[in-house]
Amino acid sequence: DAKTTQPTSMDCAEGRAANLPCNHSTISGNEYVYWYRQIHSQGPQYIIHGLKNNETNEMASLIITEDRKSSTLILPHATLRDTAVYYCIVRGPLIFFQGAQKLVFGQGTRLTINP
Amino acid sequence: EPEVTQTPSHQVTQMGQEVILRCVPISNHLYFYWYRQILGQKVEFLVSFYNNEISEKSEIFDDQFSVERPDGSNFTLKIRSTKLEDSAMYFCATFPPGRLLEQYFGPGTRLTVT
């Protein structure tokens, strides 16, 4: 799996958009970009994933550059409850009868939302 | 609503004892994963399990660990003889039906070995 690089920590004001960058310059053509977050010691929470196109769901938007070497997770209106460690993970596709490959977590970005 | 629940939420055991951690899916799942997170460290992959067989395991998953699906529904992780360094959060993960690209994690079991 390709390696990712994220800033160690970021701050954002409540109500503003939080933009979390991730570099994955060695990503392969069939690898997806995933974002998870972990609040305190809770189980990691799935946020969003994408392959080439930008994606949006009820939680966030994912912007992937055209060369796919980097991406940005956008939380459009951050709240205090968005304070967490955010993980950008690159993973290969599902292999039927074997399952999708494991998730390899890095240190992530510790995002603090300030009131 | 969570795809999986885990029991117990917290387990305290003495070194050398056996522990069994349980993962209970809400609906029928074929794929299961176990991860662990030592306090202050990264989430680490332990083992993946598909169709009642281990499909991949990490170096951490040595002979002290085993997984099984005893009743076709629950999914268990057993540590035969716990060590102090086994103290960690243990997370089970699986996929929602029809959404095999989204891995969902349970709330975890905090294992404390004394």
Side-chain angles (χ1 to χ4, degrees), chain A residues 34 36 38 41-44 46 91 94 97 99-100 102-103 105-107, chain B residues 31 33 35 37 42-43 45 50 56 89 91 100-106:
Chain A
Y34 284 81
Y36 280 77
Q38 189 176 26
S41 293
Q42 297 177 21
Y46 166 83
R91 187 176 74 177
L94 173 69
F97 305 113
K102 61 185 181 291
L103 292 168
F105 288 81
Q107 297 291 354
Chain B
Y31 304 95
Y33 298 76
Y35 294 80
Q37 185 176 33
K42 296 186 292 186
V43 177
F45 167 76
Y50 168 72
E56 185 179 0
M89 286 291 293
F91 298 108
L100 295 178
L101 290 177
E102 302 172 19
Q103 199 169 108
Y104 282 75
F105 286 74

PDB file of all heavy atoms in Angstrom, chain A residues 34 36 38 41-44 46 91 94 97 99-100 102-103 105-107, chain B residues 31 33 35 37 42-43 45 50 56 89 91 100-106:
ATOM      1  N   TYR A  34      -8.774   6.662   1.363  1.00  0.00           N
ATOM      2  CA  TYR A  34      -9.771   6.576   2.425  1.00  0.00           C
ATOM      3  C   TYR A  34      -9.453   7.603   3.514  1.00  0.00           C
ATOM      4  O   TYR A  34      -8.289   7.916   3.783  1.00  0.00           O
ATOM      5  CB  TYR A  34      -9.738   5.199   3.092  1.00  0.00           C
ATOM      6  CG  TYR A  34     -10.360   4.096   2.293  1.00  0.00           C
ATOM      7  CD1 TYR A  34      -9.669   3.467   1.270  1.00  0.00           C
ATOM      8  CD2 TYR A  34     -11.658   3.676   2.572  1.00  0.00           C
ATOM      9  CE1 TYR A  34     -10.245   2.448   0.534  1.00  0.00           C
ATOM     10  CE2 TYR A  34     -12.241   2.659   1.841  1.00  0.00           C
ATOM     11  CZ  TYR A  34     -11.538   2.051   0.829  1.00  0.00           C
ATOM     12  OH  TYR A  34     -12.114   1.043   0.101  1.00  0.00           O
ATOM     13  N   TYR A  36     -10.502   8.209   7.601  1.00  0.00           N
ATOM     14  CA  TYR A  36     -11.137   7.767   8.831  1.00  0.00           C
ATOM     15  C   TYR A  36     -10.804   8.790   9.907  1.00  0.00           C
ATOM     16  O   TYR A  36      -9.852   9.569   9.778  1.00  0.00           O
ATOM     17  CB  TYR A  36     -10.600   6.404   9.283  1.00  0.00           C
ATOM     18  CG  TYR A  36     -11.191   5.233   8.558  1.00  0.00           C
ATOM     19  CD1 TYR A  36     -10.775   4.906   7.274  1.00  0.00           C
ATOM     20  CD2 TYR A  36     -12.172   4.438   9.155  1.00  0.00           C
ATOM     21  CE1 TYR A  36     -11.326   3.826   6.601  1.00  0.00           C
ATOM     22  CE2 TYR A  36     -12.721   3.355   8.492  1.00  0.00           C
ATOM     23  CZ  TYR A  36     -12.291   3.059   7.215  1.00  0.00           C
ATOM     24  OH  TYR A  36     -12.838   1.984   6.548  1.00  0.00           O
ATOM     25  N   GLN A  38     -10.729   9.205  14.448  1.00  0.00           N
ATOM     26  CA  GLN A  38     -10.836   8.519  15.723  1.00  0.00           C
ATOM     27  C   GLN A  38     -10.973   9.563  16.817  1.00  0.00           C
ATOM     28  O   GLN A  38     -10.101  10.436  16.977  1.00  0.00           O
ATOM     29  CB  GLN A  38      -9.617   7.631  15.979  1.00  0.00           C
ATOM     30  CG  GLN A  38      -9.772   6.727  17.181  1.00  0.00           C
ATOM     31  CD  GLN A  38      -8.608   5.791  17.366  1.00  0.00           C
ATOM     32  OE1 GLN A  38      -7.489   6.070  16.940  1.00  0.00           O
ATOM     33  NE2 GLN A  38      -8.853   4.638  18.013  1.00  0.00           N
ATOM     34  N   SER A  41     -10.543   7.299  22.290  1.00  0.00           N
ATOM     35  CA  SER A  41     -10.135   5.907  22.066  1.00  0.00           C
ATOM     36  C   SER A  41     -11.270   5.088  21.460  1.00  0.00           C
ATOM     37  O   SER A  41     -11.280   3.869  21.557  1.00  0.00           O
ATOM     38  CB  SER A  41      -9.712   5.272  23.389  1.00  0.00           C
ATOM     39  OG  SER A  41      -8.540   5.881  23.860  1.00  0.00           O
ATOM     40  N   GLN A  42     -12.192   5.780  20.800  1.00  0.00           N
ATOM     41  CA  GLN A  42     -13.282   5.065  20.146  1.00  0.00           C
ATOM     42  C   GLN A  42     -12.770   4.346  18.908  1.00  0.00           C
ATOM     43  O   GLN A  42     -11.645   4.600  18.444  1.00  0.00           O
ATOM     44  CB  GLN A  42     -14.393   6.042  19.758  1.00  0.00           C
ATOM     45  CG  GLN A  42     -15.042   6.732  20.929  1.00  0.00           C
ATOM     46  CD  GLN A  42     -16.094   7.745  20.481  1.00  0.00           C
ATOM     47  OE1 GLN A  42     -16.615   7.667  19.368  1.00  0.00           O
ATOM     48  NE2 GLN A  42     -16.414   8.677  21.351  1.00  0.00           N
ATOM     49  N   GLY A  43     -13.573   3.480  18.349  1.00  0.00           N
ATOM     50  CA  GLY A  43     -13.194   2.808  17.126  1.00  0.00           C
ATOM     51  C   GLY A  43     -13.084   3.806  15.977  1.00  0.00           C
ATOM     52  O   GLY A  43     -13.842   4.775  15.924  1.00  0.00           O
ATOM     53  N   PRO A  44     -12.133   3.616  15.077  1.00  0.00           N
ATOM     54  CA  PRO A  44     -12.035   4.502  13.919  1.00  0.00           C
ATOM     55  C   PRO A  44     -13.366   4.564  13.177  1.00  0.00           C
ATOM     56  O   PRO A  44     -14.045   3.550  13.007  1.00  0.00           O
ATOM     57  CB  PRO A  44     -10.941   3.842  13.078  1.00  0.00           C
ATOM     58  CG  PRO A  44     -10.092   3.102  14.058  1.00  0.00           C
ATOM     59  CD  PRO A  44     -11.057   2.607  15.094  1.00  0.00           C
ATOM     60  N   TYR A  46     -15.363   5.528   9.718  1.00  0.00           N
ATOM     61  CA  TYR A  46     -15.249   5.759   8.285  1.00  0.00           C
ATOM     62  C   TYR A  46     -15.851   7.122   7.939  1.00  0.00           C
ATOM     63  O   TYR A  46     -16.933   7.488   8.423  1.00  0.00           O
ATOM     64  CB  TYR A  46     -15.985   4.660   7.519  1.00  0.00           C
ATOM     65  CG  TYR A  46     -16.215   4.960   6.064  1.00  0.00           C
ATOM     66  CD1 TYR A  46     -15.221   4.724   5.123  1.00  0.00           C
ATOM     67  CD2 TYR A  46     -17.420   5.500   5.631  1.00  0.00           C
ATOM     68  CE1 TYR A  46     -15.428   5.005   3.781  1.00  0.00           C
ATOM     69  CE2 TYR A  46     -17.631   5.785   4.289  1.00  0.00           C
ATOM     70  CZ  TYR A  46     -16.632   5.541   3.375  1.00  0.00           C
ATOM     71  OH  TYR A  46     -16.835   5.837   2.053  1.00  0.00           O
ATOM     72  N   ARG A  91      -5.451   2.345   0.004  1.00  0.00           N
ATOM     73  CA  ARG A  91      -5.641   0.894   0.039  1.00  0.00           C
ATOM     74  C   ARG A  91      -6.060   0.365  -1.319  1.00  0.00           C
ATOM     75  O   ARG A  91      -6.774   1.031  -2.058  1.00  0.00           O
ATOM     76  CB  ARG A  91      -6.697   0.531   1.076  1.00  0.00           C
ATOM     77  CG  ARG A  91      -6.842  -0.969   1.304  1.00  0.00           C
ATOM     78  CD  ARG A  91      -7.829  -1.283   2.391  1.00  0.00           C
ATOM     79  NE  ARG A  91      -9.202  -1.076   1.971  1.00  0.00           N
ATOM     80  CZ  ARG A  91     -10.245  -1.344   2.751  1.00  0.00           C
ATOM     81  NH1 ARG A  91     -10.060  -1.810   3.970  1.00  0.00           N
ATOM     82  NH2 ARG A  91     -11.465  -1.134   2.320  1.00  0.00           N
ATOM     83  N   LEU A  94     -10.992  -4.185  -3.548  1.00  0.00           N
ATOM     84  CA  LEU A  94     -11.541  -5.415  -2.996  1.00  0.00           C
ATOM     85  C   LEU A  94     -11.119  -6.595  -3.854  1.00  0.00           C
ATOM     86  O   LEU A  94     -11.147  -6.531  -5.073  1.00  0.00           O
ATOM     87  CB  LEU A  94     -13.068  -5.315  -2.983  1.00  0.00           C
ATOM     88  CG  LEU A  94     -13.834  -6.575  -2.594  1.00  0.00           C
ATOM     89  CD1 LEU A  94     -13.624  -6.871  -1.129  1.00  0.00           C
ATOM     90  CD2 LEU A  94     -15.300  -6.424  -2.923  1.00  0.00           C
ATOM     91  N   PHE A  97     -13.542 -12.966  -2.497  1.00  0.00           N
ATOM     92  CA  PHE A  97     -13.208 -14.203  -1.808  1.00  0.00           C
ATOM     93  C   PHE A  97     -11.986 -14.042  -0.901  1.00  0.00           C
ATOM     94  O   PHE A  97     -11.582 -14.972  -0.249  1.00  0.00           O
ATOM     95  CB  PHE A  97     -13.005 -15.378  -2.773  1.00  0.00           C
ATOM     96  CG  PHE A  97     -14.168 -15.602  -3.667  1.00  0.00           C
ATOM     97  CD1 PHE A  97     -14.059 -15.391  -5.022  1.00  0.00           C
ATOM     98  CD2 PHE A  97     -15.391 -15.981  -3.148  1.00  0.00           C
ATOM     99  CE1 PHE A  97     -15.150 -15.563  -5.857  1.00  0.00           C
ATOM    100  CE2 PHE A  97     -16.487 -16.165  -3.976  1.00  0.00           C
ATOM    101  CZ  PHE A  97     -16.365 -15.948  -5.342  1.00  0.00           C
ATOM    102  N   GLY A  99     -11.557 -10.520   0.440  1.00  0.00           N
ATOM    103  CA  GLY A  99     -11.885  -9.308   1.168  1.00  0.00           C
ATOM    104  C   GLY A  99     -10.972  -8.176   0.778  1.00  0.00           C
ATOM    105  O   GLY A  99      -9.935  -8.380   0.153  1.00  0.00           O
ATOM    106  N   ALA A 100     -11.367  -6.998   1.126  1.00  0.00           N
ATOM    107  CA  ALA A 100     -10.521  -5.844   0.873  1.00  0.00           C
ATOM    108  C   ALA A 100      -9.279  -5.945   1.741  1.00  0.00           C
ATOM    109  O   ALA A 100      -9.277  -6.590   2.774  1.00  0.00           O
ATOM    110  CB  ALA A 100     -11.277  -4.562   1.183  1.00  0.00           C
ATOM    111  N   LYS A 102      -6.268  -4.976   4.266  1.00  0.00           N
ATOM    112  CA  LYS A 102      -6.301  -4.363   5.587  1.00  0.00           C
ATOM    113  C   LYS A 102      -6.053  -2.863   5.474  1.00  0.00           C
ATOM    114  O   LYS A 102      -5.485  -2.371   4.502  1.00  0.00           O
ATOM    115  CB  LYS A 102      -5.211  -4.981   6.457  1.00  0.00           C
ATOM    116  CG  LYS A 102      -3.808  -4.757   5.903  1.00  0.00           C
ATOM    117  CD  LYS A 102      -2.786  -5.480   6.736  1.00  0.00           C
ATOM    118  CE  LYS A 102      -1.375  -5.240   6.203  1.00  0.00           C
ATOM    119  NZ  LYS A 102      -1.170  -5.903   4.909  1.00  0.00           N
ATOM    120  N   LEU A 103      -6.485  -2.150   6.477  1.00  0.00           N
ATOM    121  CA  LEU A 103      -6.178  -0.722   6.583  1.00  0.00           C
ATOM    122  C   LEU A 103      -4.871  -0.552   7.349  1.00  0.00           C
ATOM    123  O   LEU A 103      -4.683  -1.152   8.400  1.00  0.00           O
ATOM    124  CB  LEU A 103      -7.309  -0.007   7.313  1.00  0.00           C
ATOM    125  CG  LEU A 103      -8.637   0.080   6.571  1.00  0.00           C
ATOM    126  CD1 LEU A 103      -9.742   0.537   7.513  1.00  0.00           C
ATOM    127  CD2 LEU A 103      -8.537   1.036   5.393  1.00  0.00           C
ATOM    128  N   PHE A 105      -2.818   2.121   9.252  1.00  0.00           N
ATOM    129  CA  PHE A 105      -2.956   3.438   9.858  1.00  0.00           C
ATOM    130  C   PHE A 105      -1.584   4.056  10.132  1.00  0.00           C
ATOM    131  O   PHE A 105      -0.672   3.382  10.596  1.00  0.00           O
ATOM    132  CB  PHE A 105      -3.718   3.344  11.187  1.00  0.00           C
ATOM    133  CG  PHE A 105      -5.177   3.061  11.047  1.00  0.00           C
ATOM    134  CD1 PHE A 105      -5.631   1.766  10.838  1.00  0.00           C
ATOM    135  CD2 PHE A 105      -6.111   4.085  11.116  1.00  0.00           C
ATOM    136  CE1 PHE A 105      -6.980   1.488  10.702  1.00  0.00           C
ATOM    137  CE2 PHE A 105      -7.469   3.827  10.989  1.00  0.00           C
ATOM    138  CZ  PHE A 105      -7.902   2.526  10.769  1.00  0.00           C
ATOM    139  N   GLY A 106      -1.482   5.346   9.846  1.00  0.00           N
ATOM    140  CA  GLY A 106      -0.319   6.121  10.259  1.00  0.00           C
ATOM    141  C   GLY A 106      -0.636   6.853  11.547  1.00  0.00           C
ATOM    142  O   GLY A 106      -1.513   6.433  12.310  1.00  0.00           O
ATOM    143  N   GLN A 107       0.084   7.940  11.765  1.00  0.00           N
ATOM    144  CA  GLN A 107      -0.159   8.735  12.974  1.00  0.00           C
ATOM    145  C   GLN A 107      -1.329   9.686  12.810  1.00  0.00           C
ATOM    146  O   GLN A 107      -1.902  10.144  13.787  1.00  0.00           O
ATOM    147  CB  GLN A 107       1.105   9.521  13.350  1.00  0.00           C
ATOM    148  CG  GLN A 107       2.293   8.650  13.705  1.00  0.00           C
ATOM    149  CD  GLN A 107       2.112   7.906  15.018  1.00  0.00           C
ATOM    150  OE1 GLN A 107       1.155   8.088  15.760  1.00  0.00           O
ATOM    151  NE2 GLN A 107       3.044   7.006  15.312  1.00  0.00           N
TER     152      GLN A 107
ATOM    153  N   TYR B  31     -16.797 -11.007   6.178  1.00  0.00           N
ATOM    154  CA  TYR B  31     -15.449 -10.516   6.382  1.00  0.00           C
ATOM    155  C   TYR B  31     -15.322  -9.901   7.767  1.00  0.00           C
ATOM    156  O   TYR B  31     -16.161  -9.115   8.186  1.00  0.00           O
ATOM    157  CB  TYR B  31     -15.106  -9.424   5.353  1.00  0.00           C
ATOM    158  CG  TYR B  31     -15.270  -9.822   3.913  1.00  0.00           C
ATOM    159  CD1 TYR B  31     -16.444  -9.535   3.230  1.00  0.00           C
ATOM    160  CD2 TYR B  31     -14.246 -10.453   3.232  1.00  0.00           C
ATOM    161  CE1 TYR B  31     -16.595  -9.874   1.893  1.00  0.00           C
ATOM    162  CE2 TYR B  31     -14.383 -10.795   1.894  1.00  0.00           C
ATOM    163  CZ  TYR B  31     -15.559 -10.508   1.235  1.00  0.00           C
ATOM    164  OH  TYR B  31     -15.701 -10.846  -0.078  1.00  0.00           O
ATOM    165  N   TYR B  33     -12.269  -8.309  10.624  1.00  0.00           N
ATOM    166  CA  TYR B  33     -10.898  -7.890  10.879  1.00  0.00           C
ATOM    167  C   TYR B  33     -10.756  -7.599  12.371  1.00  0.00           C
ATOM    168  O   TYR B  33     -11.693  -7.115  13.006  1.00  0.00           O
ATOM    169  CB  TYR B  33     -10.556  -6.614  10.107  1.00  0.00           C
ATOM    170  CG  TYR B  33     -10.641  -6.752   8.605  1.00  0.00           C
ATOM    171  CD1 TYR B  33     -11.872  -6.767   7.953  1.00  0.00           C
ATOM    172  CD2 TYR B  33      -9.491  -6.854   7.833  1.00  0.00           C
ATOM    173  CE1 TYR B  33     -11.949  -6.896   6.577  1.00  0.00           C
ATOM    174  CE2 TYR B  33      -9.560  -6.976   6.457  1.00  0.00           C
ATOM    175  CZ  TYR B  33     -10.791  -6.993   5.834  1.00  0.00           C
ATOM    176  OH  TYR B  33     -10.870  -7.122   4.473  1.00  0.00           O
ATOM    177  N   TYR B  35      -8.115  -5.410  14.888  1.00  0.00           N
ATOM    178  CA  TYR B  35      -7.032  -4.450  15.009  1.00  0.00           C
ATOM    179  C   TYR B  35      -6.817  -4.215  16.498  1.00  0.00           C
ATOM    180  O   TYR B  35      -7.697  -4.465  17.324  1.00  0.00           O
ATOM    181  CB  TYR B  35      -7.401  -3.110  14.363  1.00  0.00           C
ATOM    182  CG  TYR B  35      -7.578  -3.135  12.874  1.00  0.00           C
ATOM    183  CD1 TYR B  35      -8.763  -3.601  12.294  1.00  0.00           C
ATOM    184  CD2 TYR B  35      -6.590  -2.655  12.020  1.00  0.00           C
ATOM    185  CE1 TYR B  35      -8.942  -3.613  10.913  1.00  0.00           C
ATOM    186  CE2 TYR B  35      -6.763  -2.649  10.643  1.00  0.00           C
ATOM    187  CZ  TYR B  35      -7.939  -3.132  10.106  1.00  0.00           C
ATOM    188  OH  TYR B  35      -8.112  -3.130   8.741  1.00  0.00           O
ATOM    189  N   GLN B  37      -4.874  -1.274  19.365  1.00  0.00           N
ATOM    190  CA  GLN B  37      -4.223   0.023  19.548  1.00  0.00           C
ATOM    191  C   GLN B  37      -3.720   0.115  20.973  1.00  0.00           C
ATOM    192  O   GLN B  37      -4.506   0.239  21.913  1.00  0.00           O
ATOM    193  CB  GLN B  37      -5.185   1.167  19.238  1.00  0.00           C
ATOM    194  CG  GLN B  37      -4.548   2.540  19.280  1.00  0.00           C
ATOM    195  CD  GLN B  37      -5.511   3.633  18.874  1.00  0.00           C
ATOM    196  OE1 GLN B  37      -6.703   3.563  19.116  1.00  0.00           O
ATOM    197  NE2 GLN B  37      -4.993   4.679  18.251  1.00  0.00           N
ATOM    198  N   LYS B  42      -0.305   3.774  17.251  1.00  0.00           N
ATOM    199  CA  LYS B  42      -1.139   3.645  16.052  1.00  0.00           C
ATOM    200  C   LYS B  42      -2.086   2.454  16.154  1.00  0.00           C
ATOM    201  O   LYS B  42      -1.841   1.504  16.888  1.00  0.00           O
ATOM    202  CB  LYS B  42      -0.245   3.460  14.817  1.00  0.00           C
ATOM    203  CG  LYS B  42       0.640   4.631  14.492  1.00  0.00           C
ATOM    204  CD  LYS B  42       1.376   4.414  13.193  1.00  0.00           C
ATOM    205  CE  LYS B  42       2.404   3.321  13.271  1.00  0.00           C
ATOM    206  NZ  LYS B  42       3.208   3.246  12.016  1.00  0.00           N
ATOM    207  N   VAL B  43      -3.135   2.509  15.372  1.00  0.00           N
ATOM    208  CA  VAL B  43      -4.006   1.346  15.193  1.00  0.00           C
ATOM    209  C   VAL B  43      -3.248   0.341  14.321  1.00  0.00           C
ATOM    210  O   VAL B  43      -2.761   0.693  13.251  1.00  0.00           O
ATOM    211  CB  VAL B  43      -5.328   1.751  14.520  1.00  0.00           C
ATOM    212  CG1 VAL B  43      -6.196   0.527  14.264  1.00  0.00           C
ATOM    213  CG2 VAL B  43      -6.066   2.776  15.373  1.00  0.00           C
ATOM    214  N   PHE B  45      -3.100  -3.555  12.474  1.00  0.00           N
ATOM    215  CA  PHE B  45      -3.832  -4.709  11.958  1.00  0.00           C
ATOM    216  C   PHE B  45      -3.330  -5.979  12.629  1.00  0.00           C
ATOM    217  O   PHE B  45      -2.131  -6.178  12.816  1.00  0.00           O
ATOM    218  CB  PHE B  45      -3.625  -4.802  10.452  1.00  0.00           C
ATOM    219  CG  PHE B  45      -4.063  -6.099   9.842  1.00  0.00           C
ATOM    220  CD1 PHE B  45      -5.407  -6.370   9.630  1.00  0.00           C
ATOM    221  CD2 PHE B  45      -3.119  -7.046   9.462  1.00  0.00           C
ATOM    222  CE1 PHE B  45      -5.803  -7.568   9.052  1.00  0.00           C
ATOM    223  CE2 PHE B  45      -3.505  -8.244   8.889  1.00  0.00           C
ATOM    224  CZ  PHE B  45      -4.858  -8.497   8.673  1.00  0.00           C
ATOM    225  N   TYR B  50     -12.096 -14.484   6.480  1.00  0.00           N
ATOM    226  CA  TYR B  50     -13.138 -14.536   5.474  1.00  0.00           C
ATOM    227  C   TYR B  50     -13.650 -15.950   5.348  1.00  0.00           C
ATOM    228  O   TYR B  50     -12.854 -16.888   5.222  1.00  0.00           O
ATOM    229  CB  TYR B  50     -12.619 -14.043   4.109  1.00  0.00           C
ATOM    230  CG  TYR B  50     -13.571 -14.351   2.984  1.00  0.00           C
ATOM    231  CD1 TYR B  50     -14.765 -13.645   2.860  1.00  0.00           C
ATOM    232  CD2 TYR B  50     -13.300 -15.377   2.074  1.00  0.00           C
ATOM    233  CE1 TYR B  50     -15.662 -13.947   1.851  1.00  0.00           C
ATOM    234  CE2 TYR B  50     -14.194 -15.687   1.067  1.00  0.00           C
ATOM    235  CZ  TYR B  50     -15.373 -14.966   0.953  1.00  0.00           C
ATOM    236  OH  TYR B  50     -16.265 -15.266  -0.038  1.00  0.00           O
ATOM    237  N   GLU B  56      -5.425 -13.238   6.164  1.00  0.00           N
ATOM    238  CA  GLU B  56      -4.147 -12.556   6.336  1.00  0.00           C
ATOM    239  C   GLU B  56      -3.926 -12.318   7.821  1.00  0.00           C
ATOM    240  O   GLU B  56      -4.878 -12.088   8.562  1.00  0.00           O
ATOM    241  CB  GLU B  56      -4.135 -11.212   5.594  1.00  0.00           C
ATOM    242  CG  GLU B  56      -2.798 -10.515   5.629  1.00  0.00           C
ATOM    243  CD  GLU B  56      -2.807  -9.193   4.871  1.00  0.00           C
ATOM    244  OE1 GLU B  56      -3.862  -8.812   4.312  1.00  0.00           O
ATOM    245  OE2 GLU B  56      -1.747  -8.543   4.826  1.00  0.00           O
ATOM    246  N   MET B  89      -6.493  -1.422  23.277  1.00  0.00           N
ATOM    247  CA  MET B  89      -7.862  -1.455  22.758  1.00  0.00           C
ATOM    248  C   MET B  89      -7.863  -2.419  21.588  1.00  0.00           C
ATOM    249  O   MET B  89      -6.987  -2.370  20.726  1.00  0.00           O
ATOM    250  CB  MET B  89      -8.294  -0.077  22.283  1.00  0.00           C
ATOM    251  CG  MET B  89      -8.610   0.917  23.372  1.00  0.00           C
ATOM    252  SD  MET B  89     -10.099   0.528  24.290  1.00  0.00           S
ATOM    253  CE  MET B  89     -11.364   0.745  23.045  1.00  0.00           C
ATOM    254  N   PHE B  91     -10.114  -3.703  18.394  1.00  0.00           N
ATOM    255  CA  PHE B  91     -11.254  -3.319  17.567  1.00  0.00           C
ATOM    256  C   PHE B  91     -11.558  -4.408  16.550  1.00  0.00           C
ATOM    257  O   PHE B  91     -10.664  -4.933  15.892  1.00  0.00           O
ATOM    258  CB  PHE B  91     -10.956  -2.021  16.798  1.00  0.00           C
ATOM    259  CG  PHE B  91     -10.700  -0.831  17.668  1.00  0.00           C
ATOM    260  CD1 PHE B  91      -9.421  -0.306  17.781  1.00  0.00           C
ATOM    261  CD2 PHE B  91     -11.737  -0.209  18.357  1.00  0.00           C
ATOM    262  CE1 PHE B  91      -9.176   0.796  18.575  1.00  0.00           C
ATOM    263  CE2 PHE B  91     -11.500   0.897  19.149  1.00  0.00           C
ATOM    264  CZ  PHE B  91     -10.215   1.404  19.267  1.00  0.00           C
ATOM    265  N   LEU B 100     -18.689  -3.067   0.194  1.00  0.00           N
ATOM    266  CA  LEU B 100     -17.449  -3.750   0.525  1.00  0.00           C
ATOM    267  C   LEU B 100     -16.219  -2.878   0.424  1.00  0.00           C
ATOM    268  O   LEU B 100     -15.100  -3.370   0.481  1.00  0.00           O
ATOM    269  CB  LEU B 100     -17.304  -4.984  -0.366  1.00  0.00           C
ATOM    270  CG  LEU B 100     -18.372  -6.059  -0.113  1.00  0.00           C
ATOM    271  CD1 LEU B 100     -18.193  -7.220  -1.057  1.00  0.00           C
ATOM    272  CD2 LEU B 100     -18.344  -6.523   1.330  1.00  0.00           C
ATOM    273  N   LEU B 101     -16.415  -1.580   0.233  1.00  0.00           N
ATOM    274  CA  LEU B 101     -15.265  -0.677   0.261  1.00  0.00           C
ATOM    275  C   LEU B 101     -15.234   0.143   1.544  1.00  0.00           C
ATOM    276  O   LEU B 101     -14.329   0.934   1.748  1.00  0.00           O
ATOM    277  CB  LEU B 101     -15.302   0.261  -0.953  1.00  0.00           C
ATOM    278  CG  LEU B 101     -15.027  -0.402  -2.298  1.00  0.00           C
ATOM    279  CD1 LEU B 101     -15.153   0.615  -3.421  1.00  0.00           C
ATOM    280  CD2 LEU B 101     -13.638  -1.035  -2.333  1.00  0.00           C
ATOM    281  N   GLU B 102     -16.225  -0.031   2.402  1.00  0.00           N
ATOM    282  CA  GLU B 102     -16.303   0.776   3.613  1.00  0.00           C
ATOM    283  C   GLU B 102     -16.174  -0.123   4.835  1.00  0.00           C
ATOM    284  O   GLU B 102     -17.072  -0.863   5.178  1.00  0.00           O
ATOM    285  CB  GLU B 102     -17.646   1.521   3.653  1.00  0.00           C
ATOM    286  CG  GLU B 102     -17.870   2.423   2.460  1.00  0.00           C
ATOM    287  CD  GLU B 102     -19.281   2.998   2.428  1.00  0.00           C
ATOM    288  OE1 GLU B 102     -19.955   3.008   3.475  1.00  0.00           O
ATOM    289  OE2 GLU B 102     -19.696   3.432   1.333  1.00  0.00           O
ATOM    290  N   GLN B 103     -15.047  -0.067   5.474  1.00  0.00           N
ATOM    291  CA  GLN B 103     -14.810  -0.902   6.644  1.00  0.00           C
ATOM    292  C   GLN B 103     -15.250  -0.153   7.893  1.00  0.00           C
ATOM    293  O   GLN B 103     -14.790   0.957   8.163  1.00  0.00           O
ATOM    294  CB  GLN B 103     -13.322  -1.245   6.725  1.00  0.00           C
ATOM    295  CG  GLN B 103     -13.009  -2.437   7.602  1.00  0.00           C
ATOM    296  CD  GLN B 103     -11.564  -2.885   7.415  1.00  0.00           C
ATOM    297  OE1 GLN B 103     -10.743  -2.684   8.294  1.00  0.00           O
ATOM    298  NE2 GLN B 103     -11.248  -3.502   6.310  1.00  0.00           N
ATOM    299  N   TYR B 104     -16.153  -0.775   8.641  1.00  0.00           N
ATOM    300  CA  TYR B 104     -16.691  -0.147   9.835  1.00  0.00           C
ATOM    301  C   TYR B 104     -16.152  -0.845  11.076  1.00  0.00           C
ATOM    302  O   TYR B 104     -16.090  -2.061  11.128  1.00  0.00           O
ATOM    303  CB  TYR B 104     -18.223  -0.190   9.826  1.00  0.00           C
ATOM    304  CG  TYR B 104     -18.831   0.857   8.936  1.00  0.00           C
ATOM    305  CD1 TYR B 104     -18.797   0.699   7.557  1.00  0.00           C
ATOM    306  CD2 TYR B 104     -19.395   2.017   9.452  1.00  0.00           C
ATOM    307  CE1 TYR B 104     -19.322   1.669   6.720  1.00  0.00           C
ATOM    308  CE2 TYR B 104     -19.928   2.981   8.621  1.00  0.00           C
ATOM    309  CZ  TYR B 104     -19.893   2.802   7.262  1.00  0.00           C
ATOM    310  OH  TYR B 104     -20.401   3.771   6.439  1.00  0.00           O
ATOM    311  N   PHE B 105     -15.806  -0.027  12.053  1.00  0.00           N
ATOM    312  CA  PHE B 105     -15.201  -0.541  13.280  1.00  0.00           C
ATOM    313  C   PHE B 105     -16.200  -0.583  14.420  1.00  0.00           C
ATOM    314  O   PHE B 105     -17.087   0.267  14.523  1.00  0.00           O
ATOM    315  CB  PHE B 105     -14.027   0.354  13.687  1.00  0.00           C
ATOM    316  CG  PHE B 105     -12.811   0.194  12.834  1.00  0.00           C
ATOM    317  CD1 PHE B 105     -12.772   0.718  11.552  1.00  0.00           C
ATOM    318  CD2 PHE B 105     -11.704  -0.495  13.301  1.00  0.00           C
ATOM    319  CE1 PHE B 105     -11.654   0.561  10.747  1.00  0.00           C
ATOM    320  CE2 PHE B 105     -10.581  -0.653  12.513  1.00  0.00           C
ATOM    321  CZ  PHE B 105     -10.551  -0.125  11.239  1.00  0.00           C
ATOM    322  N   GLY B 106     -16.011  -1.570  15.288  1.00  0.00           N
ATOM    323  CA  GLY B 106     -16.782  -1.614  16.514  1.00  0.00           C
ATOM    324  C   GLY B 106     -16.212  -0.643  17.534  1.00  0.00           C
ATOM    325  O   GLY B 106     -15.167  -0.027  17.308  1.00  0.00           O
TER     326      GLY B 106
END
